[in-house]
Amino acid sequence: MLRANSALSSSNAPAVLLDGVSKRYDEATVLAPLSLAVEPGERVALIGPSGAGKTTLLRLIAGAVAPSTGCVELRGRNVASLRPGRELARLVGMIAQQFDLVPNLSVLHNVLAGRLGEWSFGRSLLSLVWPRDQRLAFEALERVGVTHLAHQRAARLSGGEQQRVAIARVLVQRPTVVLADEPVASLDRARAREVVRLLTDVTEEQGETLVASIHSIDLAREFFDRIVGLRNGLVQFDVPAFSIRDRMLEDLYEIEGLRSEV
Amino acid sequence: MRSEYPISRGRPRAIESRRTITLILLGAFALSLLGIDWSEGVFRPRGVSAIGETLGAFIRPDLSPDLLRTAAAAAWQTAVYAVAGLTVALLIGIPLGVVASGTIARSRLGAVTQIGAARAVLAFFRAIHELVWALLLVAAIGLSPMAAVLALGIPYGGILGRIYSELLQDVPQAPLDALRRSGASEWRVFLFGRLPMALPDMVSYTFYRLECGIRSAAVLGWVGLGGLGFQVQIALEDLAYSRVWTFLWALVVMVVLVDLWSSQVRRRLAP
């Protein structure tokens, strides 16, 4: 069945390890030097105000940008040393906020795009006309509950359905670490809750590690093991989800110079 | 919104220069009126009655069965030239357009080289008009259908390639990034992202080019390559305007048919 590609990497290394990682764009420091370790199978929520560096942190883990200092390791392997493409895709997959699917392609093709790293060129070309690995795709679609939409074009789907398809795509990709950047920001509360529940459930079933930035504290508390609060590119707190206190959240989201007197 | 600042500052200057250009153009037009000798009349002596005859024939084309048969045969020949010419254009335009988009290159340097080389070839093909290509090819290989098809296919290939390359470049980037993150190489990103997203516009533009191709194929008749253009030319030499209009209406019918076909196909391709 669907299992993460854990055989690739040393077994007791952390799933994600950031060691003294910082990121500067020109003169602006987006991420101050920070260190963070995520154990295999852990579900970590990143919270914090806009501009705190959540997206940058996720992009660093995904290998989409290189750190200015420090190093990022996935299962003990330095991300900078991995070739982009198949090698990286086996270790890390990502779900974005929206507009992530190819609108003119069917849902089935969009899900199978998660296999592009594994397929040869000929197989990819053939799959445009006669999709390969269909059973895998249908299993993933069934898991996220949208099998009936398999032959619809992605453009015709609602926001919630699109995110389910994006999750199915990561399911067939089978990375050891799944990243999600505000995966439910464009959904209403009820649908957001369903999608986050699905995301945490399926990654847990596959034994994958999940790191997600999320703006809803309630969802972070309910579905994640651990909450990391980021502010101005620094880790302000890093605690088990059950032990988070209102005071910590007030400090995290406080607007500078506007501190309310309690 | 920091980004709005330079725009609001730039606007008055843009409006000012647009006004200046408008004034210069109006002045040039006024000056050109002075150059016309109004006393001799704008039309040549028999010109006005010729306009009348032409307009009359426009409403009453010659619809005798014999002529309709000739028109149908000529229209068929023109359509065949257009379709064959467009096929050659696709054979040139698709590969060169993909290369000229620079989207399948492995490195930045490779992309720049590919874009530069392919765009230069495409520019050469389309800089020369199909009539000039026809004259060159007729001189080289004689009055054959091959000359007509190549004369149409070469410049149209240059046009298609250029438009394809731009459509392939201007697709939304977010889905492409998502494909790269799932491990796809640029070729696979092209197949599963760029091509499907650009395809509806590419098909739509190709149909428009088929319409243009019918028009151009008709004109190729003037250099002796047969079809509707050749028939129009003969009819014009006889000053038989009602026959001229029979052939021109045949041309209009063909363009309308292509238009209907294209809207059918586009409706099926819409996302």
Side-chain angles (χ1 to χ4, degrees), chain B residues 93 96-97 100 119 122 126 157-167:
Chain B
L96 279 175
R119 284 190 82 112
L122 290 171
R126 69 173 187 277
I159 295 167
L160 287 181
R162 191 224 154 133
I163 301 287
Y164 289 168
S165 72
E166 283 171 9
L167 291 174

Side-chain angles (χ1 to χ4, degrees), chain B residues 107-210:
Chain B
S107 66
R108 186 143 301 202
L109 181 68
V112 171
T113 322
Q114 288 182 8
I115 293 173
R119 284 190 82 112
V121 174
L122 290 171
F124 172 73
F125 284 168
R126 69 173 187 277
I128 298 166
H129 192 272
E130 51 263 34
L131 268 178
V132 181
W133 277 115
L135 291 171
L136 290 173
L137 289 162
V138 165
I141 55 181
L143 273 176
S144 77
M146 181 63 99
V149 169
L150 287 179
L152 209 59
I154 293 171
Y156 274 50
I159 295 167
L160 287 181
R162 191 224 154 133
I163 301 287
Y164 289 168
S165 72
E166 283 171 9
L167 291 174
L168 286 168
Q169 283 170 349
D170 297 343
V171 297
Q173 291 300 308
L176 303 182
D177 285 338
L179 293 178
R180 288 189 191 109
R181 280 196 306 262
S182 54
S185 66
E186 282 309 304
W187 256 111
R188 274 153 244 198
V189 169
F190 180 87
L191 284 181
F192 273 73
R194 274 185 203 283
L195 189 61
M197 287 197 277
L199 196 63
D201 284 342
M202 286 169 70
V203 169
S204 165
Y205 188 78
T206 308
F207 270 103
Y208 168 65
R209 271 291 138 196
L210 180 59

